[in-house]
Amino acid sequence: MERIVRILNQSGLQTRQYMDRKTGDQKVINSVVLKLTDGTDTFLGEITGERAVNCPKYDPQYIYKVQCSMVVREWNSQQTGEAMQATTIYVDKINMV
């Protein structure tokens, strides 16, 4: 998905642990979350990994072109053990227009 957006909010660098399904090892992922709007829809886009660690502070006064991918994540709730699903939007590219 590609959109022309304005950045409404940007989180600081966040670090969270997760369980690697293939190896069973605990791993850490870095992320920065952007609240974006195209004037009609508002959505959260996540920048992950090394790109999150090196993510600049984006200026909300400017307009950006973002290229995003959507992925359905599945996990089990730590509280109930219930299978959970959510669609996560990852920001693959972002450039000032």
Side-chain angles (χ1 to χ4, degrees):
M1 151 175 103
E2 194 170 275
R3 292 278 189 269
I4 302 298
V5 298
R6 199 173 284 279
I7 297 172
L8 301 176
N9 193 0
Q10 179 175 347
S11 76
L13 180 65
Q14 302 170 0
T15 302
R16 66 179 184 267
Q17 292 187 350
Y18 70 97
M19 179 78 65
D20 186 309
R21 287 187 170 183
K22 293 179 183 173
T23 65
D25 295 337
Q26 282 287 109
K27 294 195 174 184
V28 174
I29 188 165
N30 296 306
S31 68
V32 171
V33 177
L34 303 175
K35 186 174 184 180
L36 307 167
T37 184
D38 65 3
T40 303
D41 296 315
T42 300
F43 57 97
L44 297 177
E46 188 173 17
I47 300 171
T48 58
E50 198 63 31
R51 288 182 50 242
V53 173
N54 299 315
C55 184
K57 180 71 176 159
Y58 291 104
D59 191 332
Q61 295 183 35
Y62 291 101
I63 296 174
Y64 296 89
K65 182 178 186 179
V66 294
Q67 186 175 21
C68 301
S69 55
M70 291 183 270
V71 177
V72 175
R73 292 188 312 120
E74 297 179 356
W75 72 96
N76 291 326
S77 169
Q78 292 180 342
Q79 287 83 19
T80 65
E82 180 182 2
M84 308 289 286
Q85 294 182 335
T87 301
T88 303
I89 299 172
Y90 293 104
V91 176
D92 300 318
K93 293 181 184 178
I94 182 168
N95 295 302
M96 200 179 320
V97 174

